[in-house]
Amino acid sequence: MSAAVVFEEYGGPEVLHLSDVDPGEPGPGQVRVRVRAAGVQPADSLFRRGVMRQFLPARFPQRLGNEFAGVVDAVGPDVSAPAVGTAVIGWAAQVCYAEHVLVPATDLVSKPDSLPWTHAGVLSASGQTAVTTLELLAVTAGDTVLIHAAAGGVGSFAVQLARRSGATVVGTASPRNHEYLRGLGAIPVAYGEGLTDRVRAVVPRVDAALDGSGTLEALQSSVDLVADRSRIGTIAFSPAAAHLGVARLSTQRSAARLARLAALSAAGELTVEIQQAYPLAEAAQAHRDLDTGHVRGKLVLTTEG
Ligand SMILES: NC(=O)c1ccc[n+]([C@@H]2O[C@H](COP(=O)([O-])OP(=O)(O)OC[C@H]3O[C@@H](n4cnc5c(N)ncnc54)[C@H](OP(=O)(O)O)[C@@H]3O)[C@@H](O)[C@H]2O)c1
C-alpha cells in the first residue's frame, strides 16, 4: 500500500488526512512515480472547500494536488521513456499529495540533478501558469508590466519571467515582501487604497497587467493604468473581472514549457522562495497556512525517499 492525503467531505483544512491507498499499476502510456515533493496551491483549497463543486465535483474519498516531482518506479507496457529510476517533474489533476501517482508518460520532464526536490515539485502548476499568462498578455521587451500578488506562487515566477523577456515589472505586495520582490527584479508597490497613484509614481506608463489577487482594487487599478483591455488578465476567480471587461486567464500545461522552466531553475536563473516544506502527514497544517492568503513563494509537501 501507499500513503495519500484524502478528504471525505468538503470543509476546512482539518478534513485532510493520510490514508492507505493502492498505488496501482501503470496502464498503457502511463508511468508510476514515487513522489518526493508536491506543490500546494490555492486551487487545492478551493477544491477542498467545495467552491469548485459545480464544474469539478469531488469523488470521496478524494485526493488532492496538481504538481509533483519524484522518481519513476514502474512503467506501462508500451512506454519506452522515461525509464524506471528517472527523476522527473510533472503534473496530474487532484492526486499529487501522495507517495505515488500514475500519470501519462508525456506529462513529465526529466528533473535536473542540481534542482532540489522541493523546488522541482512546485514548478508545474505555478510556473506554467506564469509562462502561459505572460504569453497570453504578449509581454515583450520594453513593456512595463504590473503584477498583482507578485510575492505569491504564480507572481514570483511571473516577475522573473517577465524580467527575462526584457520587461520592467511593478509588483504589488504588503511591505514585508518588498525586499523579496526587489530580489526577484520587481519594483515593489504596496496594495491598498491609493494603489493606482503609487504605481504612477514609480513608472511613467503600464502596458499590461496580470492579477493574481482577484480584488476589485487590483482590477480597477489595472483598468485605470492599462489602455489596451486585451492586455489585462486575472487568474483569480473574481466576479468583478467580467464586470470590468477583464479576461480570466487559464493555465495551459505542456512538457515543453515545463522543460524550459526546469532548465532555467537548474541554471539558477529562476527561483522561488519555499516558505515552508511539510511532511505529507501535515497537509492540513499546510492548508491552514495556505488559507491565510499570504504565502510568500510556495508551500510544498515532501515524502521520504
Ligand atoms: N487560472 C489559473 O489557471 C490559475 C492557476 C494558478 C493559480 N490561480 C489563482 O491565482 C491566484 C494566485 O495564485 P498563487 O498560487 O500565486 O497564490 P498565492 O501564492 O497563495 O498568493 C499569495 C500572495 O497573495 C498576496 N496577496 C494577498 N492579498 C493581496 C492583495 N489584496 N493584493 C495583492 N496581493 C495580495 C500575498 O502577498 P502579501 O502576503 O504581501 O499580502 C501573497 O504573497 C489564486 O486565486 C489561484 O487560485 C489560477
Side-chain angles (χ1 to χ4, degrees):
M1 292 298 269
S2 172
V5 174
V6 302
F7 60 113
E8 272 117 23
E9 58 180 328
Y10 294 121
E14 68 283 354
V15 300
L16 302 180
H17 65 90
L18 271 190
S19 180
D20 272 340
V21 299
D22 178 357
E25 290 300 322
Q30 283 188 321
V31 302
R32 189 176 66 202
V33 177
R34 175 64 172 86
V35 174
R36 296 296 308 274
V40 173
Q41 56 173 163
D44 304 341
S45 172
L46 296 175
F47 188 48
R48 184 205 76 220
R49 285 184 275 152
V51 175
M52 302 151 99
R53 72 179 86 182
Q54 277 184 330
F55 57 94
L56 189 61
R59 290 186 184 164
F60 300 121
Q62 175 66 55
R63 285 169 59 172
L64 203 56
N66 295 298
E67 56 184 354
F68 67 90
V71 178
V72 174
D73 79 347
V75 301
D78 56 348
V79 172
S80 54
V84 168
T86 308
V88 293
I89 309 174
W91 70 92
Q94 279 75 248
V95 289
C96 302
Y97 295 5
E99 287 180 341
H100 291 92
V101 290
L102 290 172
V103 289
T106 48
D107 293 354
L108 298 166
V109 301
S110 293
K111 182 186 91 64
D113 289 343
S114 62
L115 196 58
W117 287 115
T118 48
H119 288 71
V122 304
L123 274 184
S124 288
S126 310
Q128 297 208 69
T129 303
V131 174
T132 308
T133 51
L134 294 175
E135 284 171 7
L136 291 170
L137 295 173
V139 170
T140 187
D143 278 342
T144 295
V145 187
L146 174 60
I147 299 180
H148 300 279
V154 177
S156 294
F157 288 115
V159 166
Q160 297 169 82
L161 293 166
R163 291 286 292 136
R164 283 190 65 79
S165 309
T168 298
V169 179
V170 178
T172 72
S174 59
R176 75 179 183 94
N177 282 323
H178 284 193
E179 213 37 57
Y180 174 65
L181 288 189
R182 274 190 205 97
L184 299 179
I187 302 166
V189 168
Y191 55 81
E193 201 181 331
L195 171 60
T196 303
D197 290 340
R198 282 193 295 282
V199 175
R200 285 199 176 114
V202 295
V203 285
R205 59 165 217 287
V206 179
D207 303 297
L210 171 61
D211 170 51
S213 77
T215 62
L216 177 58
E217 170 193 84
L219 296 168
Q220 186 63 58
S221 71
S222 301
V223 167
D224 292 344
L225 289 160
V226 178
D228 180 353
R229 200 64 59 96
S230 75
R231 300 199 68 197
I232 307 173
T234 184
I235 51 172
F237 290 97
S238 172
H243 180 65
L244 289 170
V246 171
R248 182 164 190 280
L249 308 179
S250 288
T251 191
Q252 294 158 18
R253 296 181 184 175
S254 77
R257 279 198 186 89
L258 184 53
R260 177 170 165 248
L261 290 166
L264 287 174
S265 303
E269 293 176 29
L270 184 67
T271 189
V272 65
E273 181 163 318
I274 302 293
Q275 177 177 302
Q276 195 165 340
Y278 310 77
L280 202 55
E282 291 176 19
Q285 185 56 47
H287 270 229
R288 277 181 204 102
D289 297 339
L290 174 70
D291 285 354
T292 65
H294 295 287
V295 171
R296 178 194 288 169
K298 290 286 295 186
L299 306 178
V300 65
L301 303 175
T302 59
T303 73
E304 294 299 318

